[in-house]
Amino acid sequence: MLILKARPAAPRRRALAAGAAAVLGLSLLSWTGASAATGPAAAQPGPVPVQLLALNDLHGNLDPVDGPAGSVSRITDSGDVVRTQAGGVARLAALLKDAREGQPHTLTVGAGDLIGGSPLLSANFHDEPTVDALEELGLDVASVGNHEFDEGPEELLRIDRGGCHPSDGCAVPEEPYDGADFPYLAANVTRKGSAEPLLPPYWVKTLPGGERIGFIGLITENAPDAISAARIRDVEFHDEVETVDRYSRELTAMGVAAQTVVLHEGGNHGGSIPYNEDCDEGGPAAKLGQPIRRLAESFTPDVDMVLSGHSHEPYVCTVTDPAGDPRTVTQAASFGRTYTDVRFALDPDTGDVLRGTVEAANHPVLTSAPQDPAMAKLIDTWRERSAELENKPVGYITADLPGRGSTAPERPLGGVIADGLAEATRGSGAEIGFIQPGGIRGDLTYASSGDEGDGVVTYAEAFRVSPFESAVVTMTLTGDQLVAALRNGFEGPNEASPRFLQPSAELSYAVDMSRAGGARLDAASVRVAGEPVAADREYRVTVSEFLAEGGDGFTAFKDGTGRQGGDVTDTAALVTYLQNASAPEAPLAPPSPARIAVRQ
């Protein structure tokens, strides 16, 4: 068995009962949470009811997200699909309290990306406000996601264990950050050359009656495709099925029969899914996408259910495990727009999940819902600390600039961000700027979100749609390499769910979606400044550090030469562009949709 040393408890960290040490061994304290029960599960008069409340991909969005990115869709009784604005952790807190009413045994679980890619309210303090809110929310355990590594593994360990930020110091003067009072799990993440997980691989909860539930937490093995390579040079990500099966055996050997996998990996569906859609319509998991379906079907039969994340789409599905038994797989939507309520019973004799009792549903966090006063107060306390910077006007627009919430291949906000990248690096010879769709984290809306007035873009709003503060890189690509980079969006890992690179105004291209893979790109259509791209001509191109290192499958950028960068970030480029390209009397209009042509 892999052994980790117990770590000291922080002031806010929940105390772990001595009974857990007796049952599981002192060295496993950081992996377990227990009641005062010390012996084996006592016989129960009947099945033991359990509730799991799950969320994922919050990304520090303590407030609702404006625009389409902050909406959820549902299917009405008449079969229509309607969209409604949703989100806000104060509302989520109130709804979770209501959901817990009458439930004797409830656990709240996070499936990764709870922090990272966050709005200014949280990011300004390195996501400590979100950890505070998750503690107030009653989070019991969470797996890591790729965005937990946005600032590297050492910062993740600080978030988990406590301590002030090494560069920016304490977020609250003279009040050192004391870490998360819930365990972060990372079963398949190790230092290079080590077999020991960076964080505990699992956590066991002992109920008052002695029943135990194990949670194995891990991240997609493909996490490096979604993390800046510079941040994770000394860590490795391992096979999900092998990892789960390994730690499931450990739990089984400890007598923990009820096992849940909390996995930051999801299904690619290529569109917005209604939160109440029947995933099993047409057969078990008929609408569940890959890769989560393959993984959920492959884990050892000892795993009873899978709580997932990463793809931002809500679903409740039933797969068949290797023994032919049903296994529930769920995911809530991102940004706190929905939560998943899973209910089941434990066999009082074996302690295992009675799978025939498992019921699950996603529920919306509508912006019309009441707020929990304590959570609202906590969030307002953090808001006051950054209000002056948040409310600073940085630009003016004539209409909505859809980005994250847009389903079109060409997104107006994507064009604006790419224009900003190109403009910010003209001094390095930049001719073209690119932003990948995943780098656009929200929408800019014309309607005021506060007191700033319609059409005014505040610093907080600009930061929310481009929050990574990633260094940008200007490089030289030949015409052939430029075409290859565009082609990357439709081949390899992007073939099933294409990623359309968003170009600045200087470049345009066409795609034929009736073709397969990289052939979808019409290479002859690629134009730079209105001229056909020349195979051997050199072009200066600006992208984020993430793309420059081949992120999201855009490996062609790794071949770029003559690299310059380090003095401009993607966030600053957007803010500066809005300041220079707009004014109260001359607001910025959405770009004309002429950069990407798509044939079906």
Side-chain angles (χ1 to χ4, degrees):
M1 179 185 296
L2 183 65
I3 300 297
L4 293 184
K5 294 181 179 179
R7 64 192 181 205
R12 287 186 298 185
R13 199 177 296 281
R14 296 189 185 96
L16 299 175
V23 175
L24 301 174
L26 179 60
S27 61
L28 293 176
L29 272 177
S30 65
W31 296 10
T32 62
S35 69
T38 60
Q44 299 295 319
V48 180
V50 178
Q51 177 188 51
L52 302 182
L53 298 173
L55 62 149
N56 56 272
D57 298 277
L58 179 64
H59 292 287
N61 281 285
L62 303 179
D63 290 328
V65 174
D66 296 334
S71 66
V72 292
S73 60
R74 69 180 176 89
I75 302 173
T76 66
D77 292 340
S78 61
D80 297 324
V81 176
V82 298
R83 298 190 69 86
T84 313
Q85 293 303 118
V89 172
R91 297 179 179 88
L92 175 61
L95 291 170
L96 293 188
K97 284 184 177 180
D98 288 345
R100 294 178 183 122
E101 286 293 324
Q103 299 299 314
H105 310 304
T106 299
L107 295 169
T108 305
V109 184
D113 278 8
L114 303 180
I115 60 175
S118 305
L120 187 67
L121 173 60
S122 186
N124 198 39
F125 303 103
H126 298 280
D127 276 317
E128 292 176 29
T130 296
V131 175
D132 250 7
L134 291 170
E135 292 172 346
E136 178 69 26
L137 200 66
L139 190 69
D140 289 285
V141 63
S143 67
V144 297
N146 51 287
H147 282 283
E148 265 80 17
F149 290 90
D150 277 354
E151 294 187 54
E154 301 309 322
E155 172 64 5
L156 171 57
L157 293 176
R158 185 191 74 85
I159 286 292
D160 180 61
R161 299 169 182 174
C164 294
H165 191 272
S167 299
D168 296 337
C170 297
V172 181
E174 300 181 3
E175 188 177 321
Y177 169 68
D178 60 3
D181 73 359
F182 54 89
Y184 258 120
L185 307 180
N188 65 334
V189 186
T190 67
R191 299 284 189 185
K192 282 192 175 179
S194 172
E196 182 175 302
L198 185 71
L199 288 163
Y202 53 75
W203 178 76
V204 178
K205 175 65 178 181
T206 302
L207 301 181
E211 304 85 7
R212 290 180 291 170
I213 306 173
F215 296 85
I216 303 170
L218 68 163
I219 185 175
T220 171
E221 183 185 12
N222 297 319
D225 292 339
I227 306 171
S228 177
R231 308 291 187 193
I232 52 171
R233 297 197 191 283
D234 66 339
V235 294
E236 296 178 324
F237 300 84
H238 303 281
D239 182 86
E240 304 97 333
V241 176
E242 292 178 4
T243 300
V244 166
D245 289 0
R246 172 189 177 184
Y247 291 115
S248 174
R249 289 192 296 270
E250 285 197 14
L251 290 173
T252 299
M254 293 160 52
V256 180
Q259 300 179 13
T260 295
V261 164
V262 187
L263 169 62
H264 191 72
E265 177 61 286
N268 293 317
H269 298 82
S272 179
I273 301 174
Y275 66 80
N276 61 342
E277 181 179 66
D278 182 0
C279 180
D280 296 335
E281 183 181 3
K287 298 183 180 179
L288 182 60
Q290 299 293 1
I292 189 61
R293 179 169 183 168
R294 173 184 60 81
L295 295 171
E297 291 174 340
S298 302
F299 297 140
T300 171
D302 289 337
V303 168
D304 297 294
M305 65 190 70
V306 179
L307 309 180
S308 68
H310 195 44
S311 60
H312 291 204
E313 298 289 2
Y315 48 76
V316 173
C317 308
T318 307
V319 300
T320 301
D321 74 13
D325 295 323
R327 175 185 284 160
T328 298
V329 185
T330 73
Q331 183 177 180
S334 61
F335 304 162
R337 293 174 293 153
T338 72
Y339 67 92
T340 312
D341 188 332
V342 186
R343 303 185 187 191
F344 56 91
L346 299 177
D347 186 310
D349 296 321
T350 67
D352 205 353
V353 173
L354 295 168
R355 295 200 195 178
T357 68
V358 178
E359 296 182 352
N362 278 304
H363 300 279
V365 182
L366 301 180
T367 53
S368 57
Q371 299 188 61
D372 176 70
M375 183 67 82
K377 181 178 179 181
L378 183 153
I379 294 171
D380 283 343
T381 298
W382 283 105
R383 194 190 321 280
E384 290 168 4
R385 293 170 178 151
S386 58
E388 183 176 353
L389 180 60
E390 282 201 356
N391 297 330
K392 178 183 177 182
V394 296
Y396 305 86
I397 55 178
T398 64
D400 290 349
L401 292 174
R404 184 90 181 182
S406 173
T407 58
E410 182 177 349
R411 308 179 185 192
L413 183 55
V416 170
I417 295 174
D419 287 343
L421 292 173
E423 287 297 325
T425 52
R426 297 295 187 202
S428 297
E431 300 169 76
I432 306 160
F434 286 116
I435 180 71
Q436 77 281 11
I440 310 168
R441 308 303 294 182
D443 310 288
L444 287 181
T445 58
Y446 177 79
S448 173
S449 60
D451 300 328
E452 73 275 10
D454 291 347
V456 179
V457 179
T458 65
Y459 184 82
E461 291 168 336
F463 190 97
R464 186 184 66 232
V465 302
S466 183
F468 295 112
E469 296 188 286
S470 172
V472 302
V473 178
T474 304
M475 64 179 69
T476 297
L477 295 178
T478 66
D480 279 345
Q481 290 170 328
L482 184 59
V483 170
L486 293 168
R487 189 178 288 120
N488 285 162
F490 309 97
E491 62 189 4
N494 294 326
E495 182 166 3
S497 296
R499 287 186 167 103
F500 292 79
L501 271 181
Q502 305 291 294
S504 61
E506 296 81 7
L507 186 138
S508 63
Y509 66 96
V511 174
D512 186 346
M513 294 304 293
S514 68
R515 300 176 183 173
R520 291 168 175 160
L521 176 72
D522 180 358
S525 73
V526 182
R527 298 283 190 277
V528 177
E531 298 294 326
V533 67
D536 56 355
R537 191 203 142 178
E538 294 184 338
Y539 300 87
R540 294 290 282 169
V541 177
T542 298
V543 296
S544 67
E545 181 182 54
F546 172 71
L547 270 186
E549 295 169 341
D552 275 351
F554 289 97
T555 56
F557 288 117
K558 295 169 69 174
D559 297 327
T561 60
R563 295 177 176 236
Q564 291 179 263
D567 54 348
V568 178
T569 70
D570 50 2
T571 308
L574 174 61
V575 169
T576 300
Y577 181 74
L578 290 170
Q579 290 172 327
N580 293 339
S582 68
E585 64 279 4
L588 181 68
S592 299
R595 304 179 189 184
I596 305 174
V598 178
R599 297 186 291 272
Q600 299 296 332

mmCIF file of all heavy atoms in Angstrom, residues 59 63 67 74 108 129 164 173 185 215 225 229 237 287 304 306 350 448 475 481 485 510 514 588 595:
data_model
loop_
_atom_site.group_PDB
_atom_site.id
_atom_site.type_symbol
_atom_site.label_atom_id
_atom_site.label_comp_id
_atom_site.label_asym_id
_atom_site.label_seq_id
_atom_site.Cartn_x
_atom_site.Cartn_y
_atom_site.Cartn_z
ATOM 1 N N HIS A 59 -14.596 27.081 -11.887
ATOM 2 C CA HIS A 59 -13.636 28.079 -12.390
ATOM 3 C C HIS A 59 -13.741 29.407 -11.646
ATOM 4 O O HIS A 59 -13.625 30.480 -12.255
ATOM 5 C CB HIS A 59 -13.838 28.299 -13.893
ATOM 6 C CG HIS A 59 -13.462 27.123 -14.729
ATOM 7 N ND1 HIS A 59 -12.161 26.740 -14.953
ATOM 8 C CD2 HIS A 59 -14.234 26.206 -15.392
ATOM 9 C CE1 HIS A 59 -12.138 25.659 -15.711
ATOM 10 N NE2 HIS A 59 -13.375 25.295 -15.984
ATOM 11 N N ASP A 63 -19.851 34.701 -8.867
ATOM 12 C CA ASP A 63 -21.025 35.406 -9.385
ATOM 13 C C ASP A 63 -21.534 34.703 -10.636
ATOM 14 O O ASP A 63 -20.785 33.979 -11.296
ATOM 15 C CB ASP A 63 -20.665 36.859 -9.743
ATOM 16 C CG ASP A 63 -20.393 37.718 -8.525
ATOM 17 O OD1 ASP A 63 -21.015 37.468 -7.475
ATOM 18 O OD2 ASP A 63 -19.559 38.637 -8.628
ATOM 19 N N GLY A 67 -24.382 36.698 -20.158
ATOM 20 C CA GLY A 67 -24.488 36.279 -21.545
ATOM 21 C C GLY A 67 -24.773 34.797 -21.718
ATOM 22 O O GLY A 67 -25.051 34.071 -20.756
ATOM 23 N N ARG A 74 -33.044 23.650 -21.022
ATOM 24 C CA ARG A 74 -33.832 22.513 -20.561
ATOM 25 C C ARG A 74 -34.907 22.202 -21.597
ATOM 26 O O ARG A 74 -35.307 23.055 -22.398
ATOM 27 C CB ARG A 74 -34.484 22.787 -19.203
ATOM 28 C CG ARG A 74 -35.595 23.824 -19.232
ATOM 29 C CD ARG A 74 -36.194 24.026 -17.852
ATOM 30 N NE ARG A 74 -37.200 25.091 -17.864
ATOM 31 C CZ ARG A 74 -38.495 24.886 -18.114
ATOM 32 N NH1 ARG A 74 -38.933 23.666 -18.374
ATOM 33 N NH2 ARG A 74 -39.340 25.895 -18.117
ATOM 34 N N THR A 108 -20.781 16.386 -0.176
ATOM 35 C CA THR A 108 -20.688 17.299 -1.316
ATOM 36 C C THR A 108 -19.329 17.115 -1.966
ATOM 37 O O THR A 108 -18.292 17.141 -1.294
ATOM 38 C CB THR A 108 -20.888 18.752 -0.855
ATOM 39 O OG1 THR A 108 -22.134 18.843 -0.144
ATOM 40 C CG2 THR A 108 -20.919 19.698 -2.036
ATOM 41 N N PRO A 129 -10.463 33.262 -2.513
ATOM 42 C CA PRO A 129 -11.889 33.502 -2.271
ATOM 43 C C PRO A 129 -12.757 32.297 -2.632
ATOM 44 O O PRO A 129 -13.745 32.007 -1.941
ATOM 45 C CB PRO A 129 -12.204 34.712 -3.166
ATOM 46 C CG PRO A 129 -10.907 35.427 -3.292
ATOM 47 C CD PRO A 129 -9.872 34.333 -3.351
ATOM 48 N N CYS A 164 0.965 31.800 2.533
ATOM 49 C CA CYS A 164 0.740 32.976 1.692
ATOM 50 C C CYS A 164 1.458 32.814 0.351
ATOM 51 O O CYS A 164 2.438 32.077 0.245
ATOM 52 C CB CYS A 164 1.220 34.234 2.412
ATOM 53 S SG CYS A 164 0.250 34.594 3.896
ATOM 54 N N PRO A 173 -3.925 41.000 4.799
ATOM 55 C CA PRO A 173 -2.738 41.295 5.613
ATOM 56 C C PRO A 173 -2.857 40.710 7.017
ATOM 57 O O PRO A 173 -3.898 40.767 7.658
ATOM 58 C CB PRO A 173 -2.716 42.828 5.642
ATOM 59 C CG PRO A 173 -3.409 43.230 4.383
ATOM 60 C CD PRO A 173 -4.485 42.201 4.181
ATOM 61 N N LEU A 185 -7.771 15.419 -4.262
ATOM 62 C CA LEU A 185 -7.271 14.111 -4.636
ATOM 63 C C LEU A 185 -6.642 14.149 -6.029
ATOM 64 O O LEU A 185 -7.154 14.843 -6.914
ATOM 65 C CB LEU A 185 -8.404 13.078 -4.626
ATOM 66 C CG LEU A 185 -9.245 12.977 -3.345
ATOM 67 C CD1 LEU A 185 -10.324 11.917 -3.505
ATOM 68 C CD2 LEU A 185 -8.380 12.700 -2.134
ATOM 69 N N PHE A 215 -13.770 7.438 -2.079
ATOM 70 C CA PHE A 215 -13.753 8.313 -3.253
ATOM 71 C C PHE A 215 -12.345 8.302 -3.841
ATOM 72 O O PHE A 215 -11.386 8.685 -3.167
ATOM 73 C CB PHE A 215 -14.150 9.737 -2.880
ATOM 74 C CG PHE A 215 -15.559 9.869 -2.383
ATOM 75 C CD1 PHE A 215 -15.855 9.644 -1.038
ATOM 76 C CD2 PHE A 215 -16.582 10.200 -3.247
ATOM 77 C CE1 PHE A 215 -17.150 9.755 -0.571
ATOM 78 C CE2 PHE A 215 -17.890 10.320 -2.786
ATOM 79 C CZ PHE A 215 -18.171 10.086 -1.445
ATOM 80 N N ASP A 225 -2.453 18.222 -22.552
ATOM 81 C CA ASP A 225 -2.935 18.932 -23.740
ATOM 82 C C ASP A 225 -3.676 20.214 -23.380
ATOM 83 O O ASP A 225 -3.887 21.068 -24.240
ATOM 84 C CB ASP A 225 -3.876 18.028 -24.552
ATOM 85 C CG ASP A 225 -3.149 16.860 -25.190
ATOM 86 O OD1 ASP A 225 -1.909 16.946 -25.364
ATOM 87 O OD2 ASP A 225 -3.809 15.855 -25.515
ATOM 88 N N ALA A 229 2.654 23.803 -20.974
ATOM 89 C CA ALA A 229 3.716 22.830 -20.728
ATOM 90 C C ALA A 229 4.741 23.341 -19.717
ATOM 91 O O ALA A 229 5.318 22.555 -18.953
ATOM 92 C CB ALA A 229 4.409 22.475 -22.046
ATOM 93 N N PHE A 237 1.111 12.431 -15.752
ATOM 94 C CA PHE A 237 -0.296 12.056 -15.630
ATOM 95 C C PHE A 237 -0.443 10.639 -16.186
ATOM 96 O O PHE A 237 -0.004 10.349 -17.295
ATOM 97 C CB PHE A 237 -1.175 13.044 -16.398
ATOM 98 C CG PHE A 237 -1.052 14.459 -15.894
ATOM 99 C CD1 PHE A 237 -0.025 15.281 -16.337
ATOM 100 C CD2 PHE A 237 -1.944 14.959 -14.968
ATOM 101 C CE1 PHE A 237 0.112 16.578 -15.868
ATOM 102 C CE2 PHE A 237 -1.825 16.260 -14.486
ATOM 103 C CZ PHE A 237 -0.792 17.067 -14.933
ATOM 104 N N LYS A 287 -26.570 8.707 -25.369
ATOM 105 C CA LYS A 287 -26.142 10.065 -25.713
ATOM 106 C C LYS A 287 -24.873 10.494 -24.985
ATOM 107 O O LYS A 287 -24.520 11.672 -25.013
ATOM 108 C CB LYS A 287 -27.279 11.041 -25.411
ATOM 109 C CG LYS A 287 -28.543 10.780 -26.227
ATOM 110 C CD LYS A 287 -29.613 11.804 -25.939
ATOM 111 C CE LYS A 287 -30.878 11.524 -26.767
ATOM 112 N NZ LYS A 287 -31.947 12.517 -26.482
ATOM 113 N N ASP A 304 -18.782 1.801 -8.102
ATOM 114 C CA ASP A 304 -20.245 1.836 -8.201
ATOM 115 C C ASP A 304 -20.772 2.973 -9.067
ATOM 116 O O ASP A 304 -21.827 2.836 -9.690
ATOM 117 C CB ASP A 304 -20.843 1.958 -6.797
ATOM 118 C CG ASP A 304 -20.508 0.750 -5.943
ATOM 119 O OD1 ASP A 304 -20.994 -0.342 -6.271
ATOM 120 O OD2 ASP A 304 -19.750 0.900 -4.968
ATOM 121 N N VAL A 306 -19.588 7.041 -11.202
ATOM 122 C CA VAL A 306 -18.554 7.965 -11.657
ATOM 123 C C VAL A 306 -19.145 9.366 -11.698
ATOM 124 O O VAL A 306 -20.144 9.611 -12.387
ATOM 125 C CB VAL A 306 -18.025 7.580 -13.056
ATOM 126 C CG1 VAL A 306 -16.964 8.583 -13.518
ATOM 127 C CG2 VAL A 306 -17.468 6.164 -13.063
ATOM 128 N N THR A 350 -23.300 -5.682 3.714
ATOM 129 C CA THR A 350 -22.025 -5.644 2.987
ATOM 130 C C THR A 350 -21.404 -4.263 2.921
ATOM 131 O O THR A 350 -20.211 -4.128 2.648
ATOM 132 C CB THR A 350 -22.220 -6.152 1.550
ATOM 133 O OG1 THR A 350 -23.054 -5.220 0.829
ATOM 134 C CG2 THR A 350 -22.866 -7.526 1.534
ATOM 135 N N SER A 448 -25.588 46.535 -19.027
ATOM 136 C CA SER A 448 -24.775 46.741 -17.837
ATOM 137 C C SER A 448 -24.941 45.587 -16.859
ATOM 138 O O SER A 448 -26.042 45.086 -16.645
ATOM 139 C CB SER A 448 -25.182 48.057 -17.165
ATOM 140 O OG SER A 448 -24.534 48.212 -15.929
ATOM 141 N N MET A 475 6.050 34.504 -33.085
ATOM 142 C CA MET A 475 6.955 33.551 -33.728
ATOM 143 C C MET A 475 6.848 33.662 -35.244
ATOM 144 O O MET A 475 5.908 34.266 -35.774
ATOM 145 C CB MET A 475 6.596 32.128 -33.297
ATOM 146 C CG MET A 475 5.208 31.686 -33.759
ATOM 147 S SD MET A 475 4.799 29.986 -33.262
ATOM 148 C CE MET A 475 4.646 30.177 -31.500
ATOM 149 N N GLN A 481 3.490 25.947 -42.484
ATOM 150 C CA GLN A 481 3.284 25.750 -41.053
ATOM 151 C C GLN A 481 2.012 26.461 -40.579
ATOM 152 O O GLN A 481 1.303 25.959 -39.705
ATOM 153 C CB GLN A 481 4.497 26.254 -40.283
ATOM 154 C CG GLN A 481 5.741 25.392 -40.462
ATOM 155 C CD GLN A 481 6.981 26.037 -39.878
ATOM 156 O OE1 GLN A 481 7.118 27.266 -39.870
ATOM 157 N NE2 GLN A 481 7.911 25.217 -39.398
ATOM 158 N N ALA A 485 -1.128 24.660 -38.759
ATOM 159 C CA ALA A 485 -1.709 25.059 -37.482
ATOM 160 C C ALA A 485 -3.234 25.136 -37.576
ATOM 161 O O ALA A 485 -3.952 24.677 -36.677
ATOM 162 C CB ALA A 485 -1.138 26.402 -37.049
ATOM 163 N N ALA A 510 -11.419 28.907 -44.966
ATOM 164 C CA ALA A 510 -12.684 28.206 -45.175
ATOM 165 C C ALA A 510 -12.535 26.746 -44.778
ATOM 166 O O ALA A 510 -11.448 26.164 -44.867
ATOM 167 C CB ALA A 510 -13.125 28.320 -46.636
ATOM 168 N N SER A 514 -18.064 18.549 -44.494
ATOM 169 C CA SER A 514 -18.473 17.258 -45.049
ATOM 170 C C SER A 514 -17.272 16.326 -45.219
ATOM 171 O O SER A 514 -17.442 15.133 -45.444
ATOM 172 C CB SER A 514 -19.174 17.451 -46.396
ATOM 173 O OG SER A 514 -18.261 17.921 -47.379
ATOM 174 N N LEU A 588 -16.755 50.311 -29.861
ATOM 175 C CA LEU A 588 -16.300 49.255 -30.761
ATOM 176 C C LEU A 588 -17.484 48.408 -31.201
ATOM 177 O O LEU A 588 -18.282 47.943 -30.375
ATOM 178 C CB LEU A 588 -15.272 48.378 -30.039
ATOM 179 C CG LEU A 588 -14.664 47.219 -30.825
ATOM 180 C CD1 LEU A 588 -13.766 47.751 -31.949
ATOM 181 C CD2 LEU A 588 -13.867 46.314 -29.890
ATOM 182 N N ARG A 595 -14.168 36.074 -41.405
ATOM 183 C CA ARG A 595 -12.846 35.478 -41.247
ATOM 184 C C ARG A 595 -12.865 33.957 -41.408
ATOM 185 O O ARG A 595 -11.866 33.374 -41.811
ATOM 186 C CB ARG A 595 -12.266 35.863 -39.881
ATOM 187 C CG ARG A 595 -12.219 37.376 -39.672
ATOM 188 C CD ARG A 595 -11.661 37.774 -38.318
ATOM 189 N NE ARG A 595 -11.847 39.211 -38.084
ATOM 190 C CZ ARG A 595 -11.400 39.880 -37.037
ATOM 191 N NH1 ARG A 595 -10.723 39.221 -36.094
ATOM 192 N NH2 ARG A 595 -11.626 41.174 -36.902
#
